Amino acid sequence: MTQALDRVRKAARLKKKERFTALLHHITVDTLQMAFYALRRKAAPGVDGMTWQDYEADLEPRLRELHERVHRGAYRPQPSRRTYIPKADGKQRPLAIAALEDKIVQGATVMVLNAIYEGDFVGFSYGFRPGRGPHDALDALTVAITTRKVN
């Protein structure tokens, strides 16, 4: 987390009623780069056909250009590539695969918003939080049941 996002996180924790109205300046080239390196390297390419390795070949100029488009208001997400995954009951589940740049911008936005909202969650919240999942919730439940008196 960058120092600026750390300050946002602290402000959100200390001033619960504070409204954040200008957050775009926190999406920097560095934030976009962190979001890029957080992506899965072998993920399927979106409609643009761009793979992680192809994008990394010219990473710095591409991220600077993406940053400029985002801040100019010229960035437009591309339509997602639709694929279907078969389910056990014979039906199919639709899956949307976003273009690589869209994943980068989404990841950077998530970083900024997580800095604000992570402080609002209580310790036993596990859904859709970074570094937490259903297995962590089950582990906490097991500890609670085995160490405390329950009916």
Side-chain angles (χ1 to χ4, degrees):
M1 183 180 292
T2 64
Q3 288 181 346
L5 287 180
D6 191 45
R7 287 192 303 271
V8 168
R9 183 183 57 77
K10 287 178 182 172
R13 190 176 28 144
L14 295 174
K15 304 172 187 172
K16 296 284 186 192
K17 299 292 182 187
E18 190 77 23
R19 295 185 71 112
F20 295 92
T21 57
L23 294 171
L24 186 60
H25 65 279
H26 289 293
I27 296 181
T28 64
V29 175
D30 291 335
T31 311
L32 293 170
Q33 186 174 18
M34 284 190 293
F36 172 75
Y37 282 115
L39 293 175
R40 286 187 23 235
R41 280 136 177 84
K42 295 186 180 186
V47 290
D48 59 352
M50 182 70 66
T51 65
W52 191 93
Q53 290 77 13
D54 294 339
Y55 201 87
E56 186 187 32
D58 266 342
L59 184 62
E60 292 300 321
R62 288 179 195 249
L63 288 180
R64 279 196 303 273
E65 196 270 331
L66 178 60
H67 177 261
E68 279 297 316
R69 282 188 288 140
V70 167
H71 283 266
R72 255 193 350 252
Y75 170 76
R76 295 289 178 261
Q78 297 182 24
S80 294
R81 183 164 62 100
R82 177 71 70 185
T83 188
Y84 292 89
I85 299 173
K87 292 170 49 174
D89 63 359
K91 295 181 181 178
Q92 293 187 326
R93 181 173 69 91
L95 179 69
I97 302 171
L100 188 67
E101 280 192 339
D102 297 341
K103 292 178 188 179
I104 295 169
V105 173
Q106 289 170 9
T109 304
V110 164
M111 286 181 200
V112 173
L113 294 177
N114 274 342
I116 295 169
Y117 292 113
E118 188 63 27
D120 291 343
F121 289 109
V122 291
F124 55 83
S125 296
Y126 289 91
F128 302 102
R129 290 179 66 196
R132 293 184 181 215
H135 293 289
D136 299 314
L138 288 173
D139 289 343
L141 183 62
T142 301
V143 168
I145 289 173
T146 57
T147 60
R148 296 189 178 135
K149 186 177 179 180
V150 293
N151 291 338

